[in-house]
Amino acid sequence: METTPTADIWRPEVVPGERIFLSVLQRSDIPLFARWFSDLELTTYLGQPGMAYTYEQEEEWYERVIRDHDIKTFAIVVRDGQRLIGNVSLMNFDHRRQRAALGIAIGDKDAWGKGYGSEAVRLMCAYGFTFLNLYAIYLWVLGCNRRAYQAYLKAGFREAGRLRGGIVVNAQRYDDILMEITRDESGPLNLTHLVQQIES
C-alpha cells in the first residue's frame, strides 16, 4: 500500500531555504519514490527513457544511498505543509579536483514549474561549496528537457558542452548537455550561519 508523507512526519531542516528545505531521507519515503520513478515521463526527462523502477529497486537505492558516504542525498521538502516533492544528490566526487556531479528529481508533478527545483539546486550547491570543499559542480541534462535546462540556468549554471544526438526519444535524437557552476560564480552562499563561529 502506498503512503504519502504528511506534516505528521517530522523532518529536520538540514539545509534551510525560503520556500523549501533539504532534509534527510526516511525509509517511509520509499513507496512514494517507487510511485514517482515508475512514471515514464519522469524517467525520460532524467535521461532514462523506458525505465520504470519497482519498489524493490527503490528500496535497494535507498539502502545504498544511506550507507555510501560518497553520495550526499537529501529529500526536497516544501516548507508549507512539509510536503516531500523530490530528492537531490551530489555524487561522483573527485576530491583532488574538488568537483562533484549533481542530480535532482522533482517527482511530484504538482510541484513542476514553480521554481522549487532551482531553489533546491542552489541550496545543494551552497551545501557542497560550504561544507564539502567543492570548487565546481556539474550536471547532465537531456536536450528535450527545456524546463530543467532553464531551471539550471536560473540557479547559476552555464552550458559547458554537448554530446550531440546522445539520446533517442520517440525516434528523435537529442543532445546530452553538460552544465557547470563554480564556487566563484555561485554568489553569496548564505549557509555559514549554520555554524555560528564561522565567519561569513
Side-chain angles (χ1 to χ4, degrees):
M1 178 179 177
E2 293 183 356
T3 59
T4 301
T6 68
D8 295 333
I9 299 176
W10 178 77
R11 290 186 178 274
E13 291 193 27
V14 180
V15 185
E18 294 181 9
R19 297 189 302 151
I20 64 169
F21 61 88
L22 306 184
S23 188
V24 294
L25 298 177
Q26 299 184 4
R27 184 172 296 277
S28 59
D29 298 332
I30 296 174
L32 191 54
F33 291 158
R35 188 175 79 198
W36 289 342
F37 291 99
S38 64
D39 185 304
L40 293 178
E41 183 179 21
L42 177 63
T43 57
T44 295
Y45 286 143
L46 295 177
Q48 303 172 59
M51 291 300 300
Y53 292 93
T54 65
Y55 179 95
E56 290 75 17
Q57 287 172 313
E58 289 304 312
E59 191 171 41
E60 289 175 7
W61 172 84
Y62 171 84
E63 295 292 347
R64 183 174 69 254
V65 164
I66 64 172
R67 287 177 171 79
D68 189 341
H69 296 296
D70 287 327
I71 303 176
K72 305 296 183 183
T73 300
F74 291 117
I76 303 169
V77 182
V78 175
R79 186 175 300 284
D80 183 16
Q82 300 275 301
R83 180 165 57 104
L84 175 65
I85 61 169
N87 57 61
V88 60
S89 302
L90 288 171
M91 55 202 148
N92 300 335
F93 285 87
D94 184 333
H95 296 289
R96 185 164 66 90
R97 294 179 174 86
Q98 295 178 279
R99 68 186 180 200
L102 184 143
I104 183 172
I106 303 296
D108 185 341
K109 289 185 175 181
D110 290 337
W112 287 10
K114 297 182 179 178
Y116 295 133
S118 292
E119 185 176 357
V121 167
R122 285 194 297 269
L123 290 175
M124 196 61 167
C125 288
Y127 166 78
F129 293 140
T130 303
F131 294 105
L132 304 183
N133 199 34
L134 293 175
Y135 175 72
I137 295 173
Y138 65 93
L139 57 86
W140 290 92
V141 61
L142 185 60
C144 66
N145 193 351
R146 300 303 301 175
R147 182 187 291 112
Y149 182 80
Q150 293 300 322
Y152 298 139
L153 290 176
K154 184 178 177 182
F157 279 73
R158 62 182 178 86
E159 188 172 323
R162 289 178 178 242
L163 295 177
R164 290 177 294 174
I167 195 166
V168 180
V169 180
N170 194 29
Q172 173 90 28
R173 287 197 171 274
Y174 296 96
D175 295 349
D176 283 316
I177 304 172
L178 176 64
M179 304 183 76
E180 66 175 353
I181 188 172
T182 67
R183 180 186 176 91
D184 296 338
E185 297 165 340
S186 66
L189 300 178
N190 300 323
L191 289 184
T192 51
H193 68 281
L194 298 178
V195 184
Q196 296 298 322
Q197 296 185 55
I198 293 180
E199 294 181 3
S200 58

